[in-house]
């Protein structure tokens, strides 16, 4: 490994992170909602497309997810867990409804995007981009189109939520800078993050879904149950996590790929607008009317974005992150554990050799 190669790679990483941070704080100065996520997304996108994509975006996303997951876990005391258990039947209904919406949109979006129906279905299911792109590869669907459409949908969600706040003038609870925590509790938080990282790496190898969100959430609950005083994740760390998530998303947004697939981009934007609108204004309204959740929490609970992005958004807007996480995680598990295997089994049953495609 040459020194010049290392310097070039390090320079690109520093440039990307600097642009992401600059974008985040510029958006913050402009008092835009979701400033840290959207600003870093724009900054990272510009560097990735004008200079080159930084490597390691997946690792940055996962580290950021650890802190987002921990921020939810420390909120899950007995009362919150009991409330989430009561909400679980509704969470499951919303998860099923989200998958049905994706099923209904699959054929028209496949036609509009110029892709096959299976790829259209995988593009419209409200699950994670990585999981659906991997499934697309396994069943010989259009992996690249699936990844592009999912990425665009997350960006549509992150754009529509601030736009809706501006249009409606809906108040956002300011997030207080949580800096106070004694050394012992900060050490406990550090131990929680390290333990979560190690367990998440193992869980990922075992194909556990969204391990870098779920693991710190569960480890935090365990720490609290064992009597440890775990502080809330300090706000500077949550801001860094939001910037990390926005940066990793910006690295996916590659203009060169999208120019080659204009119909896919058009289909992705249209499907994103339709699916997001039906989810957050249809299913979100149902959640708001049937629960005690506030308007924003209900919208984010139903929004078909990435699990990490939606929890980070809930944190950024100062709403019920634990409830949002519960709805999002239920939908993710339902789609990836129940719907995805059904699709895989159906496709492989129809394939003459019955075998998945070779990698």
């Amino acid at each position: 490994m040459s020194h010049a190669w290392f310097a070039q790679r390090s320079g690109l990483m520093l440039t990307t992170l600097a642009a992401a941070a600059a974008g985040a704080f510029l958006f913050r100065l402009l008092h835009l909602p979701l400033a840290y996520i959207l600003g870093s997304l724009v900054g990272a996108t510009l560097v990735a497309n004008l200079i080159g994509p930084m490597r390691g975006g997946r690792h940055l996303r996962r580290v950021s997810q650890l802190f987002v997951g921990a921020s939810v876990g420390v909120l899950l005391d007995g009362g919150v867990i009991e409330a989430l258990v009561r909400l679980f039947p509704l969470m499951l209904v919303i998860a099923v409804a989200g998958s049905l919406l994706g099923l209904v949109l699959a054929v028209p979006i496949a036609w509009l995007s110029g892709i096959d129906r299976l790829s259209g279905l995988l593009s419209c299911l409200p699950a994670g981009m990585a999981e659906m792109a991997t499934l697309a590869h396994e069943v010989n669907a259009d992996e690249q189109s699936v990844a592009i459409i999912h990425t665009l949908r997350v960006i549509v969600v992150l754009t529509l939520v601030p736009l809706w706040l501006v249009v409606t003038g809906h108040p956002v609870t300011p997030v207080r800078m949580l800096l106070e925590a004694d050394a012992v509790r900060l050490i406990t938080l550090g131990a929680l993050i390290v333990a979560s990282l190690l367990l998440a790496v193992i869980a990922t190898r075992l194909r556990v879904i969204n391990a870098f969100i779920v693991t710190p959430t569960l480890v935090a609950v365990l720490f609290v149950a064992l009597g440890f005083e775990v502080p809330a994740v300090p706000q500077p760390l949550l801001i860094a996590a939001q910037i990390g998530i926005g940066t990793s998303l910006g690295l996916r947004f590659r203009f060169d790929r999208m120019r080659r697939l204009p119909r896919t981009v058009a289909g992705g934007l249209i499907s994103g607008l339709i699916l997001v609108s039906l989810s957050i204004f249809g299913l979100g309204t149902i959640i708001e009317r049937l629960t005690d959740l506030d308007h924003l929490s209900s919208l984010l609970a139903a929004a078909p974005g990435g699990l990490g992005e939606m929890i980070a958004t809930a944190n950024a807007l100062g709403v019920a992150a634990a409830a949002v996480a519960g709805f999002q995680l239920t939908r993710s598990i339902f789609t990836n554990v129940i719907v995805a295997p059904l699709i895989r089994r159906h496709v492989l049953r129809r394939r003459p050799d019955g075998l998945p495609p070779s990698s």
Side-chain angles (χ1 to χ4, degrees):
M1 182 184 300
S2 67
H3 175 73
W5 178 87
F6 178 79
Q8 182 180 15
R9 184 172 176 181
S10 300
L12 181 58
M13 179 180 296
L14 291 174
T15 302
T16 302
L17 295 178
F25 288 104
L26 175 61
F27 275 42
R28 179 65 175 173
L29 287 174
L30 296 174
H31 302 287
L32 298 176
L34 303 183
Y36 298 118
I37 297 176
L38 288 178
S40 57
L41 187 157
V42 171
T45 298
L46 289 175
V47 173
N49 287 278
L50 297 177
I51 301 177
M54 178 192 86
R55 299 186 64 178
R58 181 179 64 175
H59 300 304
L60 176 63
R61 174 183 172 84
R62 287 178 170 178
V63 171
S64 301
Q65 286 179 329
L66 284 175
F67 291 98
V68 171
S71 71
V72 173
V74 298
L75 302 175
L76 298 180
D77 57 20
V80 174
I81 293 175
E82 183 179 348
L84 292 179
V85 170
R86 289 198 301 268
L87 287 173
F88 179 72
L90 180 60
M91 292 177 181
L92 189 57
V93 170
I94 296 297
V96 174
S99 291
L100 290 177
L101 284 177
L103 180 62
V104 170
L105 288 173
V107 173
I109 293 305
W111 173 81
L112 184 63
S113 303
I115 56 179
D116 61 275
R117 293 182 179 182
L118 177 59
S119 299
L121 175 59
L122 297 181
S123 299
C124 292
L125 284 176
M129 184 275 290
E131 291 84 2
M132 289 298 99
T134 299
L135 179 58
H137 173 74
E138 292 177 2
V139 298
N140 274 341
D142 190 337
E143 179 182 356
Q144 186 176 32
S145 293
V146 170
I148 288 175
I149 292 175
H150 273 276
T151 299
L152 289 172
R153 186 170 71 234
V154 174
I155 293 175
V156 168
V157 174
L158 294 176
T159 304
L160 276 185
V161 170
L163 182 61
W164 180 248
L165 295 179
V166 172
V167 170
T168 61
H170 198 280
V172 178
T173 303
V175 181
R176 186 166 56 95
M177 293 293 286
L178 296 175
L179 297 173
E180 67 280 3
D182 57 50
V184 174
R185 290 196 295 166
L186 286 177
I187 291 173
T188 303
L189 178 62
L192 186 156
I193 294 297
V194 171
S196 299
L197 174 60
L198 296 175
L199 291 173
V201 170
I202 296 173
T204 299
R205 293 184 179 277
L206 296 175
R207 298 178 69 106
V208 174
I209 301 164
N210 290 309
F212 284 81
I213 286 277
V214 176
T215 302
T217 302
L218 296 179
V219 171
V221 172
L222 177 61
F223 271 45
V224 172
L226 292 176
F228 292 99
E229 291 190 18
V230 183
V233 178
Q235 198 63 30
L237 289 179
L238 280 181
I239 289 173
Q242 292 170 33
I243 292 175
I245 288 175
T247 302
S248 65
L249 185 57
L251 293 174
R252 296 187 207 162
F253 201 73
R254 303 289 300 281
F255 297 150
D256 57 341
R257 296 175 183 171
M258 296 184 181
R259 279 197 298 267
R260 293 196 299 267
L261 299 168
R263 287 187 62 183
T264 299
V265 173
L269 290 174
I270 293 173
S271 68
L273 286 170
I274 296 174
L275 188 57
V276 169
S277 298
L278 291 175
S279 296
I280 65 179
F281 301 123
L283 300 180
T285 301
I286 293 174
I287 295 172
E288 185 177 5
R289 293 186 176 181
L290 295 181
T291 69
D292 295 329
L293 293 180
D294 61 272
H295 180 67
L296 279 181
S297 298
S298 300
L299 295 187
L300 293 176
L307 177 63
E309 285 85 355
M310 293 303 97
I311 299 176
T313 299
N315 278 324
L317 297 177
V319 298
V324 171
F327 276 92
Q328 292 285 339
L329 186 58
T330 301
R331 189 188 64 211
S332 177
I333 292 174
F334 175 79
T335 307
N336 288 289
V337 175
I338 296 179
V339 178
L342 288 175
I343 294 173
R344 185 184 294 107
R345 182 178 301 178
H346 175 71
V347 172
L348 296 184
R349 184 180 298 170
R350 296 180 61 184
R351 187 172 295 149
D353 57 9
L355 297 174
S358 58
S359 56

